[in-house]
Amino acid sequence: MKEAERKGKAVVVGGSIAGLSCAHALIAAGWGVVVLEKTSCPATGCATGAGLGLDPLAQKVIKSWLDEPHALDLTTLPLTIDQNEATDGEKKINWMLTRDESFNFRAALWSDLYGLLYKALPPETVRWGQTFLSFCVSDDGNCVRVKAKASQSGEIVEVAGDLLVAADGCLSSIRQSFFPEHKLRYSGYCAWRGVLDFSENEDSDTVLALKKAFPDLGKCLYFDLGSRTHSVFYELLNKRINWIWYVNQPEPQLTGNSVTMKVSSDMIAKMHEAAEEVWLPELVKVIQETKDPFLNVIYDCEPLGQIVWQNVVLVGDAAHPTTPHGLRSTNMSVLDAAVLGKCLEKWGVENRTSALQEYQSTRLPVTTEQVLFSRRLGRIKQGLRLPDRQPLDPIAASREDCEELQQKKMPFLSDTPSILSHIKQLQKLICYSSISKTLDLKHLYVIVVLVWV
């Protein structure tokens, strides 16, 4: 078989949303894919993922990977409004600072999106219970070999491929092998998080009061800014409220390979008491009635100057750990995967070096700016100092202050990479999919030609 005709093989380390997205994008590009994931089975309701927001481009990309694109809309809720509010904790009142009614995101539960992506992959794509150990590149640079340990048997397995994709998260051990001195940067605050399930009690006093105080719940991403703190909350599908509360504090000591802390009942009780001093009673009740809240330590890192080496590439949080204030982590992971797949498809296996260089030159300028903007946005909303401005007091916020709070200020938010320009045409084809069921192949062919022309 000629090199140009050979099918490439990628080994993806990490089976979270970034890894599954890469699997979809590379399979669509004609590559064989093996995903190595350390957990023993697919996630079914992982609390640490909680809620997330998908931007318009990420929605289109994900739909292009699904046999039934409408399934994404069926498992998410629209977020058409981005609203920032100031809260006076002493007087228990709040008021609007900014409102953007053209937001066009969609809200998803992490496990719902994960399940959608996983079920749409070919069987056996993901190998469960495989803990990454090491990798090595052949002397000629044409092959990469990955070693992993099977959790059940303890057996050491080796998988070879043309490309290693590091999708192993913000604590990436593969990134560490290239940047041993590069450390995560603590933001100065942690995030209490939780999801209140009110599906069995839709008319409870807590839910009715919250909807009265925040009438656009169900389509609005609410940011409430207090004194040196802020919270985020929005509704998810199936009668659930996702909330996040950011708290300034010294950096906690983490154990294990996770940024999620184990919390005690005492810690939760103190958090509940503190919430009463800061937020409106309607939001406090939601926080207090949420089962099993958890605590994330918020990190990012200084943007990297390189994310590809020979036949190794970083994607998602492995490439650009970010704070969550711009809703970028999942969206950047999806776009990383899509751009990587299209670059590999364009250049072919024999020219993967050129493909990876195009991936890097396309994504690095964007992700660098978005990481830094998210960092700045978080510090502003938390009332922390920045070199060029005093800490924000939301109660006395100026018009200029309010302008800085909006998600639409995110760099490159509305930009579509040129290599993904096909996504727009593909969406037109998706719109015609239901029509095609009633047309013969001759008529369908005419529609396809017209759309792509």
Side-chain angles (χ1 to χ4, degrees):
M1 180 180 291
K2 295 180 180 179
E3 177 72 10
E5 298 174 348
R6 186 169 63 87
K7 184 178 181 179
K9 180 180 178 181
V11 183
V12 179
V13 173
S16 190
I17 287 177
L20 298 188
S21 295
C22 286
H24 277 286
L26 269 62
I27 289 171
W31 280 57
V33 179
V34 173
V35 178
L36 303 179
E37 167 54 35
K38 64 183 178 181
T39 58
S40 59
C41 61
T44 56
C46 180
T48 56
L52 53 89
L54 294 173
D55 67 29
L57 181 54
Q59 294 170 43
K60 293 175 182 178
V61 169
I62 292 170
K63 287 181 178 181
S64 75
W65 295 333
L66 303 177
D67 292 333
E68 298 181 355
H70 66 281
L72 181 64
D73 292 337
L74 295 177
T75 55
T76 58
L77 282 182
L79 285 176
T80 59
I81 303 170
D82 171 31
Q83 183 160 310
N84 287 274
E85 302 180 338
T87 297
D88 187 324
E90 292 184 3
K91 297 179 180 179
K92 301 304 178 187
I93 59 174
N94 68 343
W95 59 94
M96 184 174 66
L97 297 174
T98 68
R99 182 178 173 91
D100 176 10
E101 296 187 357
S102 57
F103 194 47
N104 295 327
F105 277 51
R106 293 192 72 88
L109 189 66
W110 184 93
S111 55
D112 288 347
L113 178 60
Y114 179 92
L116 196 65
L117 291 171
Y118 173 67
K119 291 174 184 176
L121 285 172
E124 311 303 325
T125 299
V126 182
R127 298 184 184 178
W128 301 102
Q130 303 289 322
T131 300
F132 169 80
L133 296 176
S134 64
F135 73 92
C136 65
V137 178
S138 62
D139 292 340
D140 61 7
N142 289 326
C143 177
V144 59
R145 297 186 180 278
V146 179
K147 287 186 177 181
K149 183 178 181 179
S151 57
Q152 289 190 343
S153 66
E155 178 187 1
I156 304 300
V157 298
E158 183 175 276
V159 185
D162 302 286
L163 179 67
L164 169 59
V165 181
D168 51 342
C170 66
L171 297 172
S172 170
S173 56
I174 297 175
R175 183 185 68 233
Q176 190 74 10
S177 69
F178 293 106
F179 297 103
E181 304 301 320
H182 198 81
K183 305 298 182 184
L184 291 180
R185 170 195 163 277
Y186 178 55
S187 64
Y189 48 90
C190 296
W192 280 100
R193 305 188 67 177
V195 176
L196 174 67
D197 184 345
F198 62 95
S199 59
E200 297 182 359
N201 200 2
E202 297 181 39
D203 296 324
S204 70
D205 291 342
T206 296
V207 173
L208 294 178
L210 186 71
K211 290 186 175 182
K212 183 177 180 180
F214 302 95
D216 289 317
L217 201 63
K219 61 180 179 180
C220 182
L221 180 65
Y222 281 104
F223 290 88
D224 267 27
L225 279 66
S227 176
R228 291 177 57 80
T229 189
H230 78 287
S231 63
V232 187
F233 58 97
Y234 50 93
E235 188 171 346
L236 297 167
L237 192 69
N238 297 326
K239 311 299 180 182
R240 295 170 288 189
I241 301 294
N242 182 74
W243 60 267
I244 310 169
W245 176 19
Y246 298 98
V247 180
N248 295 337
Q249 66 176 68
E251 182 177 3
Q253 293 298 314
L254 290 174
T255 58
N257 190 32
S258 174
V259 296
T260 299
M261 291 180 60
K262 291 184 177 180
V263 297
S264 64
S265 57
D266 184 58
M267 292 171 65
I268 294 173
K270 289 180 179 178
M271 181 268 289
H272 287 168
E273 291 178 8
E276 294 178 349
E277 302 296 321
V278 180
W279 304 120
L280 298 185
E282 294 87 351
L283 180 56
V284 172
K285 290 291 290 181
V286 170
I287 292 173
Q288 292 177 339
E289 292 182 15
T290 299
K291 296 180 180 179
D292 303 320
F294 56 96
L295 191 63
N296 282 156
V297 185
I298 306 301
Y299 292 99
D300 64 10
C301 76
E302 296 303 324
L304 304 176
Q306 183 177 358
I307 53 175
V308 304
W309 298 263
Q310 288 184 308
N311 46 4
V312 181
V313 57
L314 306 182
V315 299
D317 288 343
H320 37 70
T322 184
T323 58
H325 310 288
L327 281 73
R328 299 317 301 156
S329 178
T330 299
N331 291 295
M332 287 195 291
S333 295
V334 170
L335 295 188
D336 285 352
V339 170
L340 177 61
K342 294 309 294 183
C343 288
L344 291 170
E345 182 180 7
K346 170 184 173 181
W347 289 95
V349 180
E350 71 281 6
N351 293 313
R352 62 180 173 274
T353 299
S354 297
L356 296 186
Q357 288 299 322
E358 182 171 1
Y359 163 76
Q360 178 172 267
S361 64
T362 300
R363 293 302 293 153
L364 262 188
V366 174
T367 58
T368 295
E369 291 297 317
Q370 292 188 341
V371 166
L372 295 177
F373 182 88
S374 294
R375 176 188 300 180
R376 179 179 179 86
L377 188 59
R379 293 191 67 82
I380 291 174
K381 291 188 175 186
Q382 280 298 102
L384 298 173
R385 188 175 298 277
L386 285 162
D388 61 342
R389 62 165 297 148
Q390 293 298 311
L392 173 69
D393 177 4
I395 294 177
S398 67
R399 179 177 296 181
E400 291 74 17
D401 289 330
C402 294
E403 283 293 312
E404 286 197 87
L405 300 176
Q406 298 182 83
Q407 299 278 351
K408 66 182 181 181
K409 298 292 184 179
M410 173 67 65
F412 303 102
L413 182 61
S414 301
D415 291 0
T416 300
S418 58
I419 200 164
L420 296 185
S421 59
H422 74 293
I423 292 293
K424 293 181 179 179
Q425 286 86 355
L426 185 54
Q427 288 306 300
K428 295 178 183 178
L429 284 174
I430 290 171
C431 292
Y432 283 114
S433 62
S434 60
I435 300 175
S436 68
K437 296 178 181 178
T438 62
L439 297 176
D440 58 30
L441 291 177
K442 178 179 179 181
H443 290 99
L444 180 58
Y445 173 79
V446 172
I447 288 176
V448 172
V449 170
L450 288 175
V451 168
W452 283 98
V453 170

